Amino acid sequence: MLPSNVRDDFPLLARTVRNGKPLVYLDSGATAQKPRVVLDAEREFNERHNGAVARGAHLLAEEATGLFEDARAVVADFVGADAGEIVWSQNATSALNIVAAAIGNATAGVGGAEGARFRIGPGDEICVTEAEHHANLVPWQQLAVRTGATLRWIPVDDEGRLDLDHLDTVVTERTKVLAFTHVSNITGVISPVSTLVERAKAVGALTVLDGCQSVPHLPVDVKQLDVDFMAFSGHKMLGPTGIGALYGRNDLLDALPPATFGGGAVKTVTMEDTSWQEAPMRHEPGTQPVAQAVGMAAAAHYLAQIGMDQVEEHERALAAVLREGVSQIPGVRLLGPVGDADSRDVIAIAAVSVDGVHPHDVGQVLDDRGIAARVGHHCGQPLHRRFGVTGSTRASAHVYTTVEEAQAFVDVLATVPEFFGVRA
Ligand code: PLP
């Protein structure tokens, strides 16, 4: 059980929308609301401790550096990593791009002999899945273009689950990288991580996990999952925007050359050449989003105090209400598994397609009732294409979402076909 007063921690949830209606915020999969402790942590940093990290000899620089590194340790601990295995990034997208661009740089010769283990080229393969957010597809697709490697993907079945019948033919000795989402941002399906990691290890491929939709909603331990890299965003786990993190195994982060270059990431610079710091610094050129890192740590601390087991249990209950509810509405199609709403491999996300009604129109009917949902392709065009639709309307939850709110989504959705006169 969650503490009963959780919602009081989120100032924004008290506001009303559209002529005084209570806000029903069901767009946490896109960006979550922030508890007061996160807002306070950022403001406190800026009001009292702001200074340049790892660059000054004065007290503020010392305090800022301490808070920045403490934040790294808290976020690392939240996902079961060591502090040195967390690289700050702008968001999950940039974390995934760091890995892909760094492999591209290694292939071009950056990082010399120690970077050579990451080189890929013609004849090699990079593998993703059909369920990826564009953030974990486009960087790999473009890396393939840059290096001459081939992009392959594991297809999904009609319910949006990875079709593992294809695993051994898609992931082979030629595979150098297997990048996949932990949880789909469209179907809410949790990937069978251990099966995928086992196959990747058997063929010697690196694994890159997109933890954007898992870290905020489920207990996640990178050592248990045994992945090589994992990306996640602050703003989806109740933290600030402008900050995300890349987990990387120590030995890998130390050998991987930087993706981008500049000050703070280097040891020695001459006019001709540069040597890099150890990880994580070598992957963090330039001034970092320090207050945001402190805010992300406050969010991790807040979630850890509630307990991720409790968060998961709460969201399972919401998943059941959402998924069972919408799958019973005539003319409304739930994208993803139907009929086993509380099954263990789906989180509280429900993306629906209403026959004959554009997702934007569905979103407007919901918005008119104070319900904020996401409309469009949710940066997952290939998966929508697989389902034979161009877009959908998505409800997604977090700790502050109530069963009544999930039910409100279902109830308003049930009025949509008739509202547009499309009921059979
Ligand atoms: N991966 C998944 C599964 C997502 O849901 C998202 C955002 O919706 C991203 C990656 C990208 O996250 P960000 O925009 O924070 O970089």
Coordinates of all heavy atoms in Angstrom, one line a residue, residues 29 91-93 133 135 181 183 185 210 212-213 233 235-236, ligand 1:
G29 N 3.6 8.7 -18.4 CA 4.5 8.0 -19.3 C 5.3 9.0 -20.2 O 6.4 8.7 -20.6
N91 N 18.9 13.2 -20.9 CA 17.7 12.4 -20.8 C 18.0 11.0 -21.2 O 19.2 10.7 -21.5 CB 16.5 13.0 -21.6 CG 17.0 13.5 -23.0 OD1 17.8 12.8 -23.6 ND2 16.5 14.6 -23.5
A92 N 17.0 10.2 -21.3 CA 17.3 8.8 -21.8 C 17.8 8.8 -23.3 O 18.7 8.0 -23.7 CB 16.1 7.9 -21.7
T93 N 17.2 9.7 -24.1 CA 17.6 9.8 -25.5 C 19.1 10.0 -25.6 O 19.8 9.4 -26.4 CB 16.8 10.9 -26.2 OG1 15.4 10.6 -26.0 CG2 17.1 11.0 -27.6
H133 N 10.9 2.6 -28.7 CA 10.7 4.0 -28.8 C 11.8 4.5 -29.8 O 12.9 3.9 -29.9 CB 10.9 4.6 -27.4 CG 10.7 6.1 -27.3 ND1 11.5 7.1 -27.8 CD2 9.7 6.8 -26.7 CE1 11.0 8.3 -27.5 NE2 9.9 8.1 -26.9
A135 N 13.8 6.6 -29.6 CA 15.1 7.0 -29.0 C 16.0 5.8 -28.9 O 17.2 5.9 -28.8 CB 14.8 7.4 -27.5
T181 N 14.0 -2.4 -25.3 CA 13.3 -1.7 -24.2 C 12.9 -2.6 -23.1 O 12.6 -3.8 -23.3 CB 12.0 -1.0 -24.8 OG1 11.6 -0.1 -23.8 CG2 10.9 -1.9 -25.1
V183 N 10.4 -1.9 -20.9 CA 9.0 -1.8 -20.9 C 8.5 -0.9 -22.1 O 9.1 0.2 -22.3 CB 8.4 -1.2 -19.6 CG1 6.9 -1.0 -19.7 CG2 8.8 -2.0 -18.4
N185 N 6.5 1.7 -24.1 CA 5.8 2.9 -23.8 C 4.4 2.9 -24.5 O 3.6 3.8 -24.2 CB 6.6 4.2 -24.1 CG 6.8 4.3 -25.6 OD1 7.2 3.4 -26.3 ND2 6.6 5.5 -26.1
D210 N 16.8 0.0 -22.5 CA 16.1 1.3 -22.4 C 15.2 1.2 -21.2 O 14.1 0.5 -21.2 CB 15.3 1.6 -23.7 CG 14.5 2.9 -23.5 OD1 14.4 3.5 -22.5 OD2 13.8 3.3 -24.5
C212 N 13.6 3.5 -19.6 CA 12.8 4.8 -19.4 C 11.5 4.5 -18.7 O 11.0 5.3 -17.9 CB 12.6 5.3 -20.8 SG 12.9 7.1 -20.8
Q213 N 10.8 3.4 -19.1 CA 9.5 3.1 -18.6 C 9.5 2.1 -17.5 O 8.4 1.7 -17.0 CB 8.5 2.7 -19.7 CG 8.2 3.7 -20.8 CD 7.5 4.9 -20.2 OE1 6.9 4.9 -19.1 NE2 7.4 6.0 -21.0
S233 N 15.5 8.4 -17.7 CA 15.3 9.8 -17.6 C 14.8 10.3 -16.2 O 14.0 9.6 -15.6 CB 14.2 10.2 -18.6 OG 14.7 10.3 -19.9
H235 N 12.9 13.0 -15.6 CA 11.5 13.6 -15.6 C 10.4 12.5 -15.6 O 9.3 12.9 -15.4 CB 11.3 14.5 -16.8 CG 11.3 13.9 -18.1 ND1 10.1 13.7 -18.8 CD2 12.3 13.3 -18.9 CE1 10.4 13.1 -20.0 NE2 11.7 12.9 -20.0
K236 N 10.7 11.3 -16.0 CA 9.7 10.2 -15.9 C 9.6 9.6 -14.6 O 8.7 8.8 -14.3 CB 9.9 9.2 -17.0 CG 9.8 9.8 -18.4 CD 9.8 8.7 -19.5 CE 10.1 9.2 -20.8 NZ 9.0 9.8 -21.5
Ligands
PLP1 N1 12.3 5.3 -24.3 C1 11.1 5.1 -23.9 C2 10.5 3.7 -23.7 C3 10.3 6.2 -23.6 O1 9.0 6.0 -23.3 C4 10.8 7.5 -23.8 C5 10.0 8.7 -23.7 O2 8.8 8.7 -23.8 C6 12.2 7.6 -24.2 C7 12.9 6.5 -24.4 C8 12.8 8.9 -24.4 O3 12.9 9.6 -23.2 P1 13.4 11.1 -23.1 O4 12.5 11.9 -24.0 O5 13.2 11.5 -21.7 O6 14.8 11.1 -23.6

